[in-house]
């Protein structure tokens, strides 16, 4: 098969090598302890390399809807603003604009480009997203846990190309060409051979500049992926693997290294422009990436991370005490990170300068800019192929099931959705959830009995289900104590939600009384909260399922941000459609629930 222009460009710029990407500032002022002070002397032999990066795209070719399609921005006066962002048309345009004036520019990603994807990409096993990544100029990516959703063979197909083994080719006379960029799997090896599944590292080369990239996913990937997806594979410690290949690169003469890590952190603020090096380096971030960053060898100059869907551009000292940039660009293509790496041609290493210099900055992929025309055409082409699927029946109902249009705080459709999320995550190995919670703003419509097309009355189509759950949020299952769960329930009617309560939809088995004659947190009657008839124990740990928006503290539910032992399950849409199919048929349609789990006193 002849190489495409994108493939030729990639082959020319990338050769197998190893990991690296560095992070640092451009000035030599206010240098921290351990930083190199010879910047001025090197001025004539250094070159600035632009590193553009993003993570957790999850097949969001079209702009994400609702809360999934916004980023929170801190304004000059300290207030916060929600900004619509994301979509391949705008991400491609943002990256192309950013590259202008930068002769040395490389684009990298930190995993989960695909998986848990919207209909447009997921329907076609994410071929549309890989095609889009080729077009927007991605040079390299690590794998993430979701790259294993369909197993090693499918990941290999996404890399090398070829039509799907079951579904075949989707377009006449067109064969899927695969990724024109390397997927790096340094810490994923075959159980029998011990060799990495795909390339462990690669080296980007341009006009004598060499930067190595090492790609790893979180070691705990088998715990959050279907067992069939990781069958025959071993996942190794991230730090040990990165350090191993950093030495390999060093022996090859590659001194500048960037690690692409599909594991992340939790910044103290959800605002993308929050200063997470306040009051000191790395003080504003916690989570797994902090420990990783502190132990990855100083040979690595920068860490591009993901998985937690958070936004940060922090500085965490390496084991030698030198500042090192650690970044993440949220998710769904809503942000991209622009990092300046100052490359010394003589030492072949990245010059790490002041922590205060603008080494790495996250930028919003805003929707006010022009759209990339080639992405618009790509989306239209695949949407035409997807159209027949929108009418596919996924379930049957006996009457209208009110959701968005329900008059009471607890809606019948909210009950169905929360039950679906519990069922999708309750099994051992799939989260072990004991209850599920759904934010009311995520229920975007009702299910109508009357047919919207030719499907017939009472038939729920895939398109209708998608309208109800359009965000394709991934389900999270976390540990919460009874005290934390109660605090979350109280936050429905207190704090930022006191004036306009946001009543969570709850799964079967969870019951309590909401006394609206009282004020604030007292509206939730503590002694009334029960699970399967047993009073909530403040000291006991419960496994609670919810979408990633809630798990991140969205809608004022800060208590849920403290959840531990997170398991990432299927998307909310997959859980919803799967439940409808399993619990209804033409002869036995689903009836609207009574919506009697929350007793409301007015």
């Amino acid at each position: 098969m002849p190489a495409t222009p994108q493939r030729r460009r990639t082959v020319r710029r990338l050769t197998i090598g190893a990991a690296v990407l560095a992070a640092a500032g451009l000035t030599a002022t206010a240098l921290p302890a351990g930083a190199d002070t010879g910047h001025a002397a090197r001025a004539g032999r250094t070159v600035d390399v632009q590193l553009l990066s993003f993570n957790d795209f999850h097949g969001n070719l079209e702009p994400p809807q609702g809360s999934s399609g916004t980023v929170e921005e801190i304004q000059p006066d300290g207030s916060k603003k929600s900004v619509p962002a994301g979509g391949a048309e705008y991400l491609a345009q943002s990256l192309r604009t950013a590259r202008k004036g930068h002769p040395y520019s490389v684009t990298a990603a930190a995993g989960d480009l695909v998986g848990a994807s919207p209909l447009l990409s997921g329907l076609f096993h994410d071929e549309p997203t890989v095609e889009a990544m080729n077009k927007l100029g991605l040079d390299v990516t690590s794998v993430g846990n979701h790259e294993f959703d369909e197993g090693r063979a499918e990941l290999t197909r996404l890399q090398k190309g070829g039509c799907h083994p079951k579904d075949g080719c989707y377009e006449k006379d067109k064969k899927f060409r695969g990724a024109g960029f390397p997927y790096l799997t340094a810490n994923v090896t075959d159980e029998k051979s011990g060799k990495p599944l795909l390339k462990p590292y690669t080296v980007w080369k341009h006009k004598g500049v060499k930067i190595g990239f090492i790609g790893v996913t979180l070691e705990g990937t088998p715990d959050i992926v279907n067992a069939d997806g990781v069958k025959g594979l071993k996942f190794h410690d991230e730090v040990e693997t990165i350090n191993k290949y950093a030495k390999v690169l060093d022996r090859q003469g590659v001194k500048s290294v960037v690690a692409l890590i599909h594991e992340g952190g939790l910044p103290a603020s959800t605002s993308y422009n929050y200063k997470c090096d306040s009051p000191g380096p790395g003080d504003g971030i916690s989570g797994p990436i902090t420990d990783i960053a502190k132990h990855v060898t100083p040979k690595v100059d920068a860490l591009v991370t993901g998985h937690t869907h958070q936004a940060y551009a922090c500085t965490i000292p390496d084991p030698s005490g030198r500042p090192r940039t650690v970044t993440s660009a949220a998710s769904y293509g809503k942000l991209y990170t622009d990092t300046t790496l100052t490359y010394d041609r003589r030492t072949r290493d990245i010059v790490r300068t002041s922590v205060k210099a603008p080494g790495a900055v996250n930028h919003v992929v805003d929707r006010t800019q022009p759209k990339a025309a080639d992405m618009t055409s790509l989306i239209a082409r695949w949407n035409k192929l997807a159209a027949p699927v929108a009418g596919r029946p996924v379930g049957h109902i006996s009457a209208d099931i009110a959701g968005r249009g329900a008059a009471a705080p607890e809606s019948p459709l909210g009950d169905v959705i929360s039950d679906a999320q519990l069922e999708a995550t309750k099994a051992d190995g799939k989260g072990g959830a004991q209850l599920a919670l759904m934010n009311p703003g995520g229920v975007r419509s009702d299910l109508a009995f009357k047919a919207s097309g030719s499907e017939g009355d009472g038939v729920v189509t895939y398109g209708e289900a998608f309208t109800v759950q359009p965000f394709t949020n991934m389900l999270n299952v976390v540990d919460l104590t009874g005290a934390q769960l109660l605090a979350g329930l109280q936050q429905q009617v207190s704090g930022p939600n006191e004036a306009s309560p946001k009543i969570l939809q709850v799964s079967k088995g969870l019951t309590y009384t909401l006394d609206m004659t009282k004020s604030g947190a007292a509206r939730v009657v503590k002694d009334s909260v029960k699970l399967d008839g047993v009073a909530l124990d403040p000291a006991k740990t419960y496994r609670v399922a919810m979408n990633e928006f809630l798990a991140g503290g969205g809608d004022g539910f800060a208590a849920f941000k403290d959840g531990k032992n997170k398991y990432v399950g299927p998307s909310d849409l997959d859980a919803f459609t799967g439940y409808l199919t399993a619990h209804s048929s033409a002869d036995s349609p689903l009836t609207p629930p009574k919506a009697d789990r929350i007793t409301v006193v007015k």
Side-chain angles (χ1 to χ4, degrees):
M1 176 177 66
T4 63
Q6 168 65 23
R7 188 176 297 277
R8 287 195 298 269
R9 182 182 69 82
T10 303
V11 170
R12 194 164 56 241
R13 295 172 65 185
L14 293 171
T15 60
I16 186 166
V20 193
L21 178 340
L26 298 176
T27 69
T29 61
L31 296 182
D36 197 321
T37 58
H39 183 78
R42 291 189 305 272
R45 70 183 197 229
T46 61
V47 59
D48 285 342
V49 177
Q50 178 190 59
L51 171 66
L52 301 177
S53 58
F54 57 95
N55 51 276
D56 295 275
F57 186 73
H58 287 291
N60 278 262
L61 296 171
E62 296 178 299
Q65 302 180 55
S67 59
S68 293
T70 63
V71 293
E72 185 179 84
E73 182 178 75
I74 300 174
Q75 303 300 296
D77 63 359
S79 63
K80 296 177 180 179
K81 177 182 178 181
S82 183
V83 181
E89 295 162 303
Y90 301 108
L91 178 60
Q93 186 67 27
S94 292
L95 294 175
R96 289 164 184 170
T97 300
R99 291 178 188 129
K100 292 180 180 178
H102 294 275
Y104 296 84
S105 183
V106 57
T107 302
D112 275 9
L113 296 179
V114 301
S117 303
L119 173 67
L120 181 59
S121 185
L123 179 63
F124 305 104
H125 299 280
D126 284 308
E127 289 182 19
T129 293
V130 173
E131 180 184 348
M133 294 296 109
N134 287 341
K135 288 180 178 292
L136 62 74
L138 182 63
D139 289 305
V140 58
T141 186
S142 67
V143 289
N145 54 286
H146 277 281
E147 265 82 18
F148 295 92
D149 283 350
E150 295 189 49
R152 62 187 295 177
E154 177 62 7
L155 172 56
T156 301
R157 186 183 75 89
L158 290 181
Q159 176 71 88
K160 298 181 178 180
C163 297
H164 192 270
K166 292 184 178 179
D167 295 344
C169 298
Y170 297 110
E171 297 178 284
K172 185 178 180 180
D173 300 325
K174 283 189 178 181
K175 183 179 180 181
F176 176 56
R177 295 179 178 273
F181 50 88
Y183 267 105
L184 304 182
T185 60
N187 70 329
V188 186
T189 61
D190 181 89
E191 285 184 345
K192 294 181 179 179
S193 70
K195 296 180 179 180
L197 177 61
L198 299 171
K199 291 180 180 181
Y201 62 88
T202 194
V203 179
W204 177 81
K205 298 178 180 180
H206 186 63
K207 296 182 179 179
V209 173
K210 295 181 181 180
I211 298 179
F213 290 84
I214 302 167
V216 299
T217 186
L218 69 155
E219 183 181 9
T221 290
D223 298 327
I224 54 176
V225 173
N226 187 292
D228 289 340
V230 295
K231 187 176 181 180
L233 298 174
K234 291 189 67 175
F235 291 76
H236 304 272
D237 182 83
E238 304 94 333
V239 172
E240 292 178 3
T241 302
I242 293 169
N243 291 350
K244 168 187 173 181
Y245 285 106
K247 291 180 180 178
V248 172
L249 286 170
D250 186 65
R251 289 196 295 267
Q252 294 178 3
V254 179
K255 307 296 183 180
S256 299
V257 179
V258 174
L260 307 176
I261 308 172
H262 190 71
E263 179 61 289
L266 301 170
S269 170
T270 56
S271 299
Y272 82 90
N273 55 343
Y274 163 71
K275 305 300 182 184
C276 62
D277 279 345
S278 178
D283 287 344
I285 188 171
S286 60
I289 199 61
T290 58
D291 187 59
I292 291 174
K294 291 174 182 178
H295 292 90
V296 165
T297 174
K299 294 180 184 294
V300 173
D301 300 292
L303 311 181
V304 176
T305 74
H307 188 55
T308 56
H309 290 205
Q310 302 299 307
Y312 46 84
C314 297
T315 303
I316 300 176
D318 67 20
S320 71
R322 298 172 63 208
R324 180 165 57 190
T325 300
V326 180
T327 65
S328 175
S331 61
Y332 305 156
K334 294 179 291 188
L335 300 174
Y336 72 91
T337 310
D338 190 334
T339 302
T340 299
L341 306 174
T342 301
Y343 182 88
D344 188 319
R345 291 185 180 277
R346 181 174 298 176
T347 65
R348 293 172 291 179
D349 204 351
I350 298 301
V351 180
R352 296 198 222 165
T353 55
S354 172
V355 176
K356 297 181 180 180
V361 179
N362 277 324
H363 297 278
V364 178
V365 177
D366 71 86
R367 300 181 194 168
T368 61
Q369 63 185 312
K371 298 178 180 180
D374 57 340
M375 293 297 163
T376 301
S377 296
L378 181 151
I379 290 170
R381 195 179 90 242
W382 286 102
N383 261 330
K384 184 177 180 180
L385 292 173
V389 177
R392 176 172 61 87
V394 295
H396 298 77
I397 56 177
S398 64
D400 289 350
I401 303 182
R404 194 75 165 181
E410 178 187 355
S411 72
L413 189 52
D415 285 0
V416 173
I417 291 172
S418 56
D419 285 350
Q421 295 183 357
L422 175 59
E423 183 164 299
T425 57
K426 68 181 181 180
D428 292 338
K430 292 188 177 181
Q434 297 167 272
L435 67 143
L437 304 172
M438 175 66 196
N439 58 305
V443 184
R444 306 302 296 181
S445 185
D446 304 325
L447 282 183
F449 178 79
K450 184 176 178 57
S452 59
S454 60
E455 72 274 12
D457 290 347
V459 177
V460 181
T461 66
Y462 191 86
E464 290 168 339
F466 191 85
T467 299
V468 171
Q469 291 271 261
F471 303 137
T472 319
N473 276 317
M474 288 178 289
L475 297 182
N476 289 182
V477 184
V478 297
D479 284 348
L480 291 175
T481 65
Q484 290 172 320
L485 179 56
L486 177 61
L489 293 177
Q490 291 173 331
Q491 287 169 352
Q492 300 175 106
V493 289
S494 64
N497 293 329
E498 182 165 3
S500 181
K502 291 183 174 66
I503 308 304
L504 297 169
Q505 309 301 288
V506 300
S507 59
K508 185 177 181 180
L510 182 65
T511 58
Y512 70 95
T513 297
L514 192 63
D515 188 347
M516 298 304 290
T517 65
K518 298 180 179 180
S519 62
R523 290 171 170 173
V524 176
V525 181
K526 291 183 180 181
D527 295 340
S528 71
V529 184
K530 298 179 180 180
L531 180 62
D532 298 325
V534 180
L536 194 70
D537 183 345
K540 184 178 179 180
T541 297
Y542 298 86
R543 292 290 285 167
V544 184
M546 63 188 79
N547 63 44
E548 58 187 331
F549 175 67
L550 271 183
D555 273 351
F557 292 94
F560 298 148
K561 292 176 65 176
D562 296 327
K564 305 296 183 183
N565 298 323
K566 182 173 73 173
Y567 172 89
V568 180
S571 71
D572 50 11
L573 176 61
D574 286 344
F576 183 45
T577 57
Y579 185 87
L580 291 173
T581 300
H583 292 274
S584 69
S585 66
D587 295 330
S588 181
L590 184 69
T591 58
K594 294 180 180 180
D596 57 359
R597 301 165 188 178
I598 304 173
T599 300
V600 181
V601 178
K602 297 181 180 179

